[in-house]
Structure formats: structure tokens, C-alpha cells
Amino acid sequence: MSNSIYYSYKRIINPVLFSLLLSACSAKPILFPESKHDYCADIEKKSSPMLSTYLTPVTDKMANQTGVYVLEQGIEAMLSRAWLTKHAEETIDVQYFIFSTDNIGLIATDYLVKAADRGIKVRVLVDDIMVEANGEDLLTLSKHKNLSIKIYNPMVNIGKNVFDKVINLTTNFHQLNQRMHNKTFTVDGQVSITGGRNVADEYFGYDHEYNFRDRDVLLVGGAANDIQTSFDQFWESDLSVDVKELIKDHEQSTAVPNFTALHEYACNPENFVPSVRKKIKNIPFAIDEIQKNQELQWVTGVEYVSDIPGKNDQTDFLAGSGISTERLVELLRSAKTSVVIQTPYLITTKYTRSHFKALVDKGVEVKILTNSLASNDNLEAFSGYQRNRKDLLKTGVQIYEFKPDAQIRRKIMSEVMQKQLEHAPIFGLHAKTMVIDDNIAVIGTFNLDPRSTHLNTENFVVIPSKKMAEEVKFGMLEEMQPENAWRVTLDWNPDGEVSKLKQLGVKLRRVVPKNIL
């Protein structure tokens, strides 16, 4: 697999700088190397049963329950998406904050185009701020009769010139900061994947230098219907604009776009390792094994929580809360014995800390795993955390910081990458997960920071299952062990494990207001 661009989870920490960068260098068109070999001809093509065939045995359960399977490893999260795309019958709806044009992103795009070629209606909704693809490339994709692309809140990137960006930055700073952080992947309105992963190499363990420890959850029936409804709401929102309206098509061509170069790229074994392709083909055997081991749990009362497009009414500048925030607070307040949390960004306010203190005061044990300075890819976010780290510790909360060379990375890293690389990449934490009282697991996109609280639309799944909660918690606690994380105290933290230059960089970023972190 090729190296991906190391941007990971950039947020609008400094919109002024970001806007200037966008005006200086817009996304370049996707260029594929010329190939004299027809790699696609080498791949055996066989028809296989569609998704409904595999769902038939569980149709009765899907009506009143949700099948839940937690996707811990990046490779299985990737394989699941690929297999579902290949076996879709009617629709594929994709909603992401980041959809990269690196190796994983291009292969994912190839799968979607091929699904569209089969007659599947494909809709892709991506937030404007992190769109890496060139506008012309997006327009080419959207010319496929079965593939539609919309951009959420397009204020500073797709179809915008320098003048547009400056006007939006100076006159509508609040809306510019309101991004769509939702991440959902839904097939035929019946099966969904949601969680922390965007579409890029580093979210699936395929980057050569830096990857994320992340978590998704696959849902069958039940709550998947609610995800479909939420997607439709976002798709129909005035904030979601068709790329054809944003990019001026000078050619006005009605010719069917040619995707041969994309297909050849994805068929090339240097880009798409044959062993991975074989694993996708063998997914039905994995499904049988999962069901045999009862790893797919059928749960009553699974709840999908999502903000509405726009998050809130915007009456409070850079604030305003939202549906996801209020539900998360309710869940926290319900805790009686324990709360275990994973969040890559931990930026607390007096309000947040008061909730944690109230929990500790009533005897609830609260443990939080977040990124250390050594594992963090976002210095602005870490500066916000660092400012109040001691204040949070004084509430009685236990804090652990993820190590960049955590031993757990060997367990979660893709087999292909382990064979290819001489050294293991750095891993940072990106999972957003909470387990309450060993009874409820919460998996989604919500970071514990002001941006998720007030600005970004977020989504998560509430799973009321003791078995699933205990399994997820077991893994979370394993990642807090000394070989994977540092325990932080009032007297010690691991900031000194990085260079003086990086430490200084964090200190300098304290000028950035916390309410946009």
C-alpha cells in the first residue's frame, strides 16, 4: 500500500490560516500512472449472491432487534465495507468527514463506481473542509448516472475562490466552523457501519508512518433504519449541495465518463494486495464463524443518536449544544458504578469537569484514555487538553495517555503492513467510545471537546448489552495497561517524552481559543 498524506484528523483550529492555505494550493487532479498491462483481466469475475440472500435467515430478528458486531481491527472494518459494496442490491449511502484520495480512498471509490455500474444508486456526502479531491474529479464521478455527490456546508473549499473564502471567513465565522463529523456507511437501508473511522489509509492500519487505533460498529436491521433516515435528512438539507452546482462544467459533456484508469489502479496488485482481495471474497466464511461464536449479538433497544444538519440554531456564537451532546450528558449522569472512556481529544471546560466531579463524588469510578503528546497528531487539540489537565485530575478522574509505540499496535495493525514494513508505524488513538456500568456501550464520532459539543454534527450508537459492554470495556482497559499507556498524575505526565521543539509548539498554540478546539 502507498503512503497516505499525513493529515489525519485536521480540524478548523485556525480557519484564517486554513483559508489562506486553501487559496494558495487547491487539490490537484488525480493522476494515475500509465499501465501497459490489463490487471483487471487477471482477476477472476464470478457472480455471487446479493445481500438479501445473506440476510434472509435473520429477517425476523431484523424487524425488532439490531444485529451488532464491533469492528475493532482496521482490516476487518475495511473488508466489511468492501464486501457490502460488492453485494449491494439497491442503494449505498456514504457519509464522511474525510474521504481521502490516497490508496484506500481510491480503492473505495473504485468499489463505489463498480457498484454504480451494476445499477446501484450510490450517494456520497462529504464535508467540505477536508475534501482532498479536485473539483473536476468530483464532477467526473458525479456524471455517472447512478452516482451522486454532495458537499456539506461548502464555504471554503469546493467551488470557492479566494474572494468567496475571505467573505465567508469574515462574515459567517460560526457557520464556517460548523462541520459534519458524522460517519456512516449504509447498504440497502438494512446494514450500516458507523464509528470513528474516516476513509483514508491511516484509519485502516495501512499508512507507513502513522496510523489510528479506532473502532467502528456494524449494525444489521433495527438501528440501521434510523441511520438511513438520518442520512436522508442530511442529504435533503440545504447545507448539502450537489457538486454539479458548485463546479462550473465548461464542457457540458453528456458522454459517459471513462473510469478505466481508476479500475486499473485498483486492480494492480501493487496497490490492492491479492491476499486482501481473497479475504474479501471469503467474508461469508467469516460471517459463519462470527455467528457460530455468537460474536454478532442481537440486541433490543439499540439507539442511534445524531445531530440534525447544522447542529443547532446558531443563536449562541460558537456554542449551542445539540442532540448528541444532551444525550451523552444523560448517559453520563445515569452511571452508578463506573465509566470508561476513550477519546483522542480531551478538552474540558468547567461545565464538563463539574459533571465528572459529580460522578466521582457519588462513588463512580471514571477512567479516560486519551492521546499523549507523543501519540497526538493535533497539537492545537493537545494544547487545549494540557491547559486543564490538572484541573481534570483534581476531580478524581483517572487519566491515561496512549503511547506512540503501544504494544497493542501489533494486534490491531494489518497483516499486510506487518509483512511489508521493517518498523512498526506510530499509532495514535482515534476511537470515541464509552462504557457505562458494564451494561451500556457507546460507539461513535463524539470527541470530548467544545467542537463536538457545540459545533460539529456528531453521531453515536448506544448499545444496551452487558455482554457487548464487557467485551468492549475489556479491550479499553487492556489499552490502559503500562505497555500501552502512561498513567498521568498531578505530579507527573509524559510530555517530556517528546522533543523540546514539540513541547514548545504546544505551548505556543495556547493562543488558540478553546471554544474552537
Side-chain angles (χ1 to χ4, degrees), residues 51 74 104 124-125 207 276 282 337 345 357 360 383 407 461 469:
L51 183 60
I104 289 290
V124 179
L125 177 60
D207 191 86
V276 175
N282 291 335
T337 59
Y345 311 119
K357 188 176 187 306
V360 174
S383 76
Q407 294 298 305
V461 180

Side-chain angles (χ1 to χ4, degrees), residues 26 47 210 279 424 455:
S26 58
S47 59
Y210 185 96
K279 287 179 183 291
L455 294 170

Side-chain angles (χ1 to χ4, degrees), residues 127-141:
D127 188 86
D128 177 59
I129 210 71
M130 291 303 294
V131 175
E132 189 183 274
N134 177 273
E136 294 299 324
D137 290 322
L138 294 174
L139 192 60
T140 298
L141 286 168

Side-chain angles (χ1 to χ4, degrees), residues 12 15 153 155-156 164-179 239 313-314 317-318 455:
I12 316 174
N153 196 13
M155 298 186 70
V156 293
D164 295 330
K165 296 170 187 177
V166 172
I167 291 295
N168 287 332
L169 176 67
T170 54
T171 64
N172 205 344
F173 188 74
H174 183 101
Q175 184 179 335
L176 184 147
N177 269 276
Q178 287 193 301
R179 309 316 316 173
L239 289 169
D313 59 13
Q314 303 184 28
F317 182 63
L318 296 178
L455 294 170

Side-chain angles (χ1 to χ4, degrees), residues 34 80 138 201 214 233 245 359 475 502:
E34 289 188 20
S80 299
L138 294 174
D201 286 352
D214 219 328
Q233 183 183 30
E245 297 179 24
L359 287 173
K502 190 171 185 179

